[in-house]
């Protein structure tokens, strides 16, 4: 993992852990905000549960779990993909700037939508990190070589 990844992934991950925990502790306002979006979504996906609070909590749980995985560097591409998938409905439900007449509200929601778009870009960058597997393989190979050298007789002794 590069030094940049050591900083970037935890920054992205902790953003989602924090947001997800906040949503899980108080899902009702977000469920109310998401209601119209979820109603339109149910027209296309009738199997979607009718419980808006449940859906908001599930989305928040995905964000907490995947955010923690991304922060810890565990399955980062899968975690980033899950976060990207959870961010799209969150953004569409929470920041429909096109539905606001008030210029200040419209501008605030447009800014939040753009911010979420930037975060989505960061997540997709992690997902598309094709070199991750190659770096991980190289790191594991180097660790095995070091481990096998240390396991040889006298490898750690000053006289060896």
């Amino acid at each position: 993992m590069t030094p940049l990844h050591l900083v970037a992934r935890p920054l992205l991950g902790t953003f989602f852990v924090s947001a997800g925990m906040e949503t899980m502790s108080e899902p009702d306002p977000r469920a109310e905000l998401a209601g119209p979006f979820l109603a339109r979504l149910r027209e296309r996906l009738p199997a979607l549960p009718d419980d808006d609070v449940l859906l908001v909590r599930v989305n928040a749980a995905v964000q907490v779990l995947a955010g923690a995985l991304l922060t810890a560097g565990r399955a980062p591409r899968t975690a980033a993909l899950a976060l990207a998938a959870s961010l799209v409905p969150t953004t569409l439900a929470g920041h429909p700037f096109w539905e606001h007449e008030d210029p200040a509200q419209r501008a605030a929601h447009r800014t939040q939508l753009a911010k979420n778009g930037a975060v989505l870009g960061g997540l997709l960058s992690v997902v598309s990190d094709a070199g991750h597997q190659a770096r991980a393989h190289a790191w594991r190979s180097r660790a095995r070589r070091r481990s096998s050298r240390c396991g040889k007789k006298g490898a750690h002794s000053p006289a060896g």
Side-chain angles (χ1 to χ4, degrees), residues 153-160:
K153 185 177 180 180
H156 290 314
S157 68

Side-chain angles (χ1 to χ4, degrees), residues 8-99:
R9 289 178 183 170
L11 286 173
L12 275 170
T14 56
F15 169 79
F16 285 98
V17 170
S18 175
M21 293 296 289
E22 184 179 322
T23 298
M24 288 177 79
S25 68
E26 292 188 43
D28 293 327
R30 288 178 181 82
E32 186 177 329
L33 184 63
F37 172 78
L38 292 172
R40 288 190 302 273
L41 193 57
R42 282 186 189 96
E43 292 172 8
R44 293 196 163 101
L45 300 170
L48 200 62
D50 288 334
D51 187 345
D52 292 351
V53 172
L54 172 68
L55 293 173
V56 165
R57 280 190 170 138
V58 166
N59 192 58
V62 166
Q63 291 183 348
V64 169
L65 178 62
L69 288 170
L70 186 60
T71 298
R74 301 288 184 202
R77 295 172 73 196
T78 303
L81 185 60
L83 290 169
S86 79
L87 186 59
V88 171
T90 298
T91 301
L92 293 175
H95 305 295
F97 72 88
W98 52 91
E99 293 179 0

